């Protein structure tokens, strides 16, 4: 019999084994089973998807729309997304440059699968939602982190540091703006220098714009790279129906890509999910076509909740909270508490409060906690009461 040596272990490959478990999920697991916990750990609103959107999916199911669709999505939805982006950003978008995906997370994975090779250098602005930095690791790419700096109630980007980190050997830059967990938003005057630097070096720029409509500054959305990009720029926009349209559980997103990427992206979608479900796309069409009043109302409500929570937290001398420019989170820390995981677990056990630990978003977030304020006012007020009571 031929000696085949030692068999490979019956386990995932090394890059997957090195992935960290979600620290947010770890905290949530610690609180499951307790009805008294106020759950501010996950990034979603406690409001259900609007009725007309749900009814569109029900009608599509009743009509038997349960079959495969085009890899890039239903043509009417792609056209509606193009019109929506055109209104939002003041330039024309070609429906052929838009691909509908089975969630915003899938959009990010597909984009990175399309442009990254093993060993490629990826630069990310951090702290950031861990999926953005773990996807490159799944693909055996190297991630270089450029940390935001907290100060004067805001997290700020040192643009010179970011540009210095984007070198000729860099393949991809990741920008999540407004950002999760900090609410940091790329300033309008920082867009052109960043884009021009990436353009000169031939570096891809992937913009995770999922919170762009949940923006509390001037204008209908946060400053975006998309309206500045030329057709041949290596710019990819990723977005999701989850946040602004209250559709987290529907798992529907989209990508805006250069035409040079579209054919190969279709192949990747085929080999990942084949297509987003027809009836879910039917719901997405109604959401983006008719949902503008709801988006505006949600934005106003979240702005009021942000101000309510940030003002309340500022009353305690041991609490330092950043005021987010966008998103649905207040990132805060408590004086004398350096271990965010240990602190989050203590707050579950001792105060019935569930927050996401800052360490879940990278070393730059250690010592901080993320509070999702997309909740009922009564829940926010009770959360503040419990936290301040726990602090004494």
């Amino acid at each position: 019999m031929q000696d085949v040596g030692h068999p490979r272990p019956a386990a995932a490959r090394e890059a997957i084994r090195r992935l960290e478990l979600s620290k947010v999920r770890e905290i949530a697991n610690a609180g499951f089973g307790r009805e008294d916990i106020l759950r501010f750990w996950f990034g979603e609103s406690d409001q259900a998807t609007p009725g007309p959107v749900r009814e569109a999916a029900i009608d599509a199911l009743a009509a038997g729309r349960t079959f495969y669709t085009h890899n890039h999505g239903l043509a009417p939805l792609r056209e509606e997304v193009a019109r929506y982006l055109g209104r939002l950003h003041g330039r024309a978008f070609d429906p052929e440059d838009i691909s509908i995906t089975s969630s915003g997370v899938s959009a990010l994975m597909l984009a990175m699968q399309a442009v990254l090779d093993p060993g490629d250098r990826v630069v990310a602005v951090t702290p950031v939602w861990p999926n953005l930095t773990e996807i490159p690791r799944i693909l055996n790419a190297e991630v270089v982190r450029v940390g935001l700096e907290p100060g004067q109630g805001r997290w700020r980007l040192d643009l010179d540091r970011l540009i210095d980190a984007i070198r000729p050997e860099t393949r991809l830059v990741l920008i999540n703006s407004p950002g999760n967990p900090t609410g940091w938003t790329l300033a309008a005057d920082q867009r052109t220098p960043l884009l021009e630097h990436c353009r000169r070096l031939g570096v891809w720029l992937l913009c995770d714009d999922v919170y762009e409509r949940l923006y509390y500054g001037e204008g209908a959305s946060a400053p975006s790279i998309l309206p500045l990009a030329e057709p041949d720029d290596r710019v990819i926009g990723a977005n999701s129906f989850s946040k602004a349209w209250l559709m987290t559980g529907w798992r529907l997103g989209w990508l805006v890509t250069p035409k040079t990427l579209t054919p190969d992206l279709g192949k990747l979608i085929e080999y990942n999910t084949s297509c987003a479900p027809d009836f879910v796309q039917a719901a997405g069409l109604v959401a983006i076509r008719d949902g503008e009043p709801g988006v505006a109302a949600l934005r106003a409500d979240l702005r009021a909740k942000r101000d309510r929570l940030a003002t309340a937290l500022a009353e305690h001398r041991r609490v330092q909270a950043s005021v987010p420019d966008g998103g649905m989170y207040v990132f805060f820390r408590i004086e004398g508490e350096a271990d965010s995981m240990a602190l989050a677990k203590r707050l579950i056990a001792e105060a019935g409060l569930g927050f996401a630990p800052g360490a879940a978003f990278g070393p730059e977030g250690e010592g901080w906690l993320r509070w999702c304020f997309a909740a009922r006012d009564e829940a926010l007020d009770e959360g503040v009461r419990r936290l301040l009571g726990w602090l004494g």
Side-chain angles (χ1 to χ4, degrees), residues 27 332-334 337-348 353 355 367-369 390:
I27 289 299
F332 70 100
R333 61 183 173 186
I334 297 172
E337 300 287 349
D339 186 332
S340 60
M341 281 293 291
L343 175 59
K345 289 179 179 179
R346 284 170 55 204
L347 285 169
I348 287 174
L353 287 169
F355 302 121
W368 295 73
L369 297 171
W390 183 83

Side-chain angles (χ1 to χ4, degrees), residues 188-204:
D189 61 0
Q190 293 179 323
R191 296 175 299 166
T192 297
L194 174 59
L195 176 58
E196 289 181 346
H197 184 67
C198 291
R199 185 184 285 153
R200 281 194 300 270
L201 298 182
V203 174
W204 286 92

Side-chain angles (χ1 to χ4, degrees), residues 321-332:
S322 62
V323 181
D325 294 319
M328 55 175 63
Y329 315 105
V330 165
F331 212 39
F332 70 100

